[in-house]
Amino acid sequence: MESKVATYQIKINDEPFQYNKIKYKKTVVVSTYVENKLVSKHQYGFIDKEQIYDALKQGKDINLNHCYVKDFSISEYKKSIDYEELTHIDVGNFVAENAFFDCTLRTDFSYINFNGEVNFNDTVFSHGNLSFYECCFLGSTASFKNVEFGNGEISFQYVNFGNNDVDFGSSKFYGGVASFVSAKFNNGNTSFNNVNFCDSKVKFHYTTFGSGDLSFQKAKFGNETLDFRKVEFGTGRVDFRRAVFGDGYIVFDESEFQSGKVNFRSARFGKNDMSFKQVNFGDAEVLFENVDFGTGSVSFSQSVSKYISFKGAKLDVALDLCVKKADKIDLSETIVRDIIDLKTINHRVNINTLYLNGMRNLGRIIIDWEDNNVLQLIKSQQKTTLYQKAEQFNILKEDFHLSGKYEDEDKAYILFKRYELMGDYDRMKRTGGKEWLKFPNYAFRWLIFDKMGLYATSPLRVLFSMLVIYILFSLIYLSLPHAEMGSIVNSVGATDGLSYLQTCFYHSAITFLTIGYGDYYPVGISRGVSIVEGWMGLFLMSYFTVAFVRKILR
């Protein structure tokens, strides 16, 4: 992460300096060095701070374009006019484009009501603290584009930016602290696009945003804490697309969004944790698509949201999705190499729909079939095909197996096979033609594999099916003589005294179980029926053995 701090060499000479028809008696040459290498040299007009104070006393607009200013302090100015230090003073237009503010300890703009244009574009604030504490920007614009802030404490705490657009685009904060604590951005659009915070601690906690958009596109954050706790984000869009986060701790705990879109697409995170605990995302769409989450952990514990998407993200982190409530969570096409936690003992995880299609699960998903209502999570999906639903149940089946949750594995496996079969059948109906020749295959899989044995997951279901088939064939034998189509005959003389009803059930049993004593044999169509029953018995006994052994071995 870039954190090279510039140093400045200041040289004041007596040559006049002119810019835009304004003449200054002295010229200031500022040479900028990075790692002892000269990177730039600029000239500025020298203006004494006392001249600025006099202009303020007269209520004039301030124009410091291309000026060098040393130790500017609004607190010092207020003392000179017997104002209380915490009293706000009114200023009209304040323009300091491409200026250089130098200081020994602090450059102070605190408690100013800016009633006109405010422009600090391309300005440099050298090392030392900078304060805009409790300022009010009430005019038309507040622009800080391409500003270089030194490595002291940069304070915009309690600033009211009014309804203006605020632009910090392409600025640099060279370490220290960049604080916007309790600032109010109201209804204007706010841009921190391409800002490089280097290794500054960035603080936005308790800040309020209105209906304007907030953008941190391609911003770079260093290895210090990024604090968005208890921020009210309003109804505008919040955009962190392609932002690069360092190894600092990132916290959005207890913040609130009302609507719009929260966009972290293609952002990259470092090696520390990221926390969205108890965040209320309101009706906003939250997008972490194609994000590289680094190697920390990410928590959405007890958060509330309509829709959170991690589609295509690289999840090498422990992801806590024990949300308080979420309508939809999309984990499709993700690569999972750690834990995704969807189950907690502290509160109920309430998710209506969960997308897992296309996921490569190389880690673990902590989820419970009953507590998380897994069937509803996937069944409620409106944008996935039957095959995609089958795929998701298969992903969960594999995960349940590795976790030793075999009962949940069986439930997921049954749904996987059912949705796979429904997908095949739906494709047959849509394709038509020769595909209809496969209908008997679908019917066989539906009846035998599913209804009669739940895909070998339930020995009792197979046993019950065996009993039903046995009784069904017994009744067929019983009914055939009435149609003169066949009967069951005793081969050794009827010495046992069995009635024909008993004979049918006895013959059916020894045929179904493939015992074949030979004391009774079929004639007529009963022969063909016996062949079918013998095959059915052999198949179902094997089916039962597979299901039973599968249960026992696990």
Side-chain angles (χ1 to χ4, degrees):
M1 186 62 62
E2 182 180 350
S3 60
K4 298 175 182 177
V5 179
T7 57
Y8 306 99
Q9 184 182 77
I10 312 298
K11 183 178 180 181
I12 303 175
N13 56 53
D14 294 329
E15 296 179 5
F17 179 87
Q18 181 172 332
Y19 175 76
N20 200 19
K21 299 182 180 180
I22 302 177
K23 282 190 175 183
Y24 301 91
K25 294 181 179 180
K26 295 181 180 181
T27 298
V28 179
V29 180
V30 178
S31 301
T32 304
Y33 293 85
V34 175
E35 295 184 335
N36 296 320
K37 293 181 180 179
L38 179 66
V39 295
S40 67
K41 182 179 289 188
H42 296 281
Q43 292 185 343
Y44 301 91
F46 179 84
I47 184 169
D48 192 275
K49 61 183 178 179
E50 301 297 336
Q51 294 176 256
I52 306 174
Y53 297 162
D54 288 340
L56 290 173
K57 288 178 184 179
Q58 298 172 36
K60 293 181 178 180
D61 292 336
I62 306 300
N63 186 340
L64 301 177
N65 290 343
H66 288 264
C67 286
Y68 172 87
V69 183
K70 175 74 171 180
D71 289 330
F72 176 84
S73 173
I74 204 67
S75 298
E76 183 181 55
Y77 164 69
K78 284 189 284 188
K79 287 181 181 178
S80 71
I81 59 174
D82 295 325
Y83 266 49
E84 293 291 334
E85 184 177 355
L86 303 183
T87 303
H88 283 79
I89 66 169
D90 292 318
V91 175
N93 296 324
F94 198 109
V95 179
E97 193 169 3
N98 207 352
F100 192 98
F101 285 85
D102 199 5
C103 69
T104 304
L105 294 175
R106 184 176 74 156
T107 301
D108 180 19
F109 290 88
S110 60
Y111 295 98
I112 295 178
N113 293 332
F114 292 100
N115 295 311
E117 177 188 359
V118 178
N119 187 344
F120 286 90
N121 294 345
D122 299 299
T123 288
V124 176
F125 293 95
S126 69
H127 306 308
N129 299 329
L130 170 65
S131 177
F132 282 85
Y133 187 88
E134 212 167 299
C135 285
C136 294
F137 293 83
L138 306 174
S140 56
T141 60
S143 188
F144 292 84
K145 289 189 293 185
N146 202 35
V147 173
E148 292 187 13
F149 295 95
N151 64 344
E153 180 178 350
I154 313 302
S155 177
F156 286 86
Q157 294 185 29
Y158 294 93
V159 168
N160 186 343
F161 286 97
N163 292 316
N164 305 307
D165 288 345
V166 182
D167 194 348
F168 283 84
S170 301
S171 293
K172 293 182 180 180
F173 293 78
Y174 284 109
V177 177
S179 179
F180 293 84
V181 174
S182 298
K184 294 182 179 180
F185 287 86
N186 300 316
N187 300 322
N189 295 326
T190 303
S191 173
F192 287 88
N193 293 339
N194 296 296
V195 168
N196 189 346
F197 288 98
C198 299
D199 278 331
S200 300
K201 292 181 180 178
V202 183
K203 299 181 178 181
F204 279 88
H205 50 281
Y206 302 107
T207 297
T208 302
F209 297 90
S211 59
D213 296 337
L214 170 63
S215 180
F216 285 87
Q217 282 193 57
K218 297 183 180 180
K220 294 181 180 179
F221 299 92
N223 298 321
E224 297 293 337
T225 300
L226 173 59
D227 191 345
F228 279 91
R229 286 175 298 150
K230 297 184 178 180
V231 172
E232 296 180 17
F233 282 97
T235 58
R237 291 176 298 179
V238 179
D239 194 348
F240 284 88
R241 280 180 296 173
R242 299 185 183 277
V244 178
F245 298 85
D247 297 334
Y249 180 55
I250 303 167
V251 54
F252 283 78
D253 291 355
E254 299 182 63
S255 292
E256 292 189 9
F257 299 77
Q258 294 182 33
S259 59
K261 184 178 289 186
V262 184
N263 196 342
F264 283 85
R265 278 192 179 120
S266 301
R268 287 188 292 144
F269 295 94
K271 299 178 182 179
N272 215 322
D273 299 338
M274 184 175 183
S275 179
F276 288 88
K277 293 178 181 178
Q278 298 180 357
V279 172
N280 186 348
F281 289 104
D283 293 329
E285 283 188 343
V286 187
L287 306 177
F288 288 91
E289 298 173 353
N290 299 310
V291 166
D292 185 344
F293 278 102
T295 56
S297 65
V298 183
S299 177
F300 289 84
S301 177
Q302 299 191 56
S303 65
V304 177
S305 63
K306 286 282 187 181
Y307 177 69
I308 304 179
S309 175
F310 299 90
K311 189 173 182 178
K314 184 179 178 183
L315 299 174
D316 292 346
V317 298
L319 179 59
D320 182 354
L321 290 178
C322 296
V323 300
K324 185 176 182 180
K325 183 179 180 181
D327 283 351
K328 295 178 184 178
I329 294 181
D330 190 348
L331 291 163
S332 60
E333 301 177 25
T334 54
I335 300 175
V336 179
R337 287 191 171 90
D338 209 303
I339 292 173
I340 297 178
D341 191 358
L342 291 155
K343 187 175 184 296
T344 181
I345 60 174
N346 297 323
H347 65 275
R348 185 173 181 270
V349 178
N350 187 0
I351 303 173
N352 293 332
T353 305
L354 178 68
Y355 292 90
L356 301 173
N357 49 294
M359 172 188 284
R360 291 182 60 192
N361 183 17
L362 307 176
R364 291 289 185 274
I365 303 175
I366 301 176
I367 191 170
D368 185 88
W369 187 272
E370 298 297 337
D371 291 347
N372 292 106
N373 197 7
V374 172
L375 175 59
Q376 183 62 31
L377 289 180
I378 297 176
K379 186 178 179 180
S380 62
Q381 296 174 6
Q382 298 178 351
K383 297 181 180 180
T384 54
T385 66
L386 294 169
Y387 285 124
Q388 287 174 326
K389 290 181 174 67
E391 174 197 8
Q392 293 172 77
F393 282 117
N394 190 36
I395 290 171
L396 291 174
K397 176 192 80 73
E398 296 294 335
D399 195 83
F400 287 137
H401 177 77
L402 294 173
S403 301
K405 303 176 71 173
Y406 299 121
E407 293 298 326
D408 290 349
E409 178 196 357
D410 286 347
K411 294 171 185 176
Y413 178 66
I414 292 168
L415 270 298
F416 158 55
K417 299 303 291 183
R418 282 179 177 174
Y419 273 95
E420 184 180 55
L421 179 60
M422 285 190 287
D424 290 344
Y425 181 70
D426 183 67
R427 183 176 60 184
M428 179 196 73
K429 289 194 301 180
R430 286 185 287 104
T431 306
K434 293 182 180 180
E435 286 292 319
W436 279 99
L437 297 176
K438 298 180 181 179
F439 179 77
N441 173 267
Y442 302 145
F444 179 84
R445 289 159 60 189
W446 175 79
L447 177 63
I448 304 299
F449 293 156
D450 187 355
K451 299 305 175 184
M452 294 180 66
L454 290 178
Y455 296 97
T457 61
S458 175
L460 290 179
R461 174 68 74 92
V462 180
L463 194 61
F464 177 77
S465 298
M466 293 171 65
L467 180 61
V468 171
I469 294 298
Y470 160 67
I471 293 174
L472 177 62
F473 275 98
S474 298
L475 295 177
I476 291 174
Y477 295 133
L478 185 63
S479 62
L480 286 177
H482 297 287
E484 299 181 355
M485 298 177 67
S487 63
I488 307 299
V489 179
N490 188 296
S491 62
V492 294
T495 58
D496 49 19
L498 294 179
S499 66
Y500 191 69
L501 173 64
Q502 294 171 325
T503 298
C504 290
F505 275 86
Y506 171 73
H507 173 75
S508 181
I510 61 175
T511 302
F512 185 88
L513 297 173
T514 65
I515 296 173
Y517 287 128
D519 51 346
Y520 287 90
Y521 65 92
V523 294
I525 293 180
S526 296
R527 291 177 176 175
V529 174
S530 296
I531 292 172
V532 174
E533 183 181 15
W535 181 86
M536 288 290 292
L538 182 62
F539 174 81
L540 287 174
M541 284 190 291
S542 301
Y543 200 3
F544 173 78
T545 301
V546 170
F548 183 75
V549 171
R550 184 170 178 271
K551 284 287 186 183
I552 293 299
L553 290 180
R554 293 194 309 178

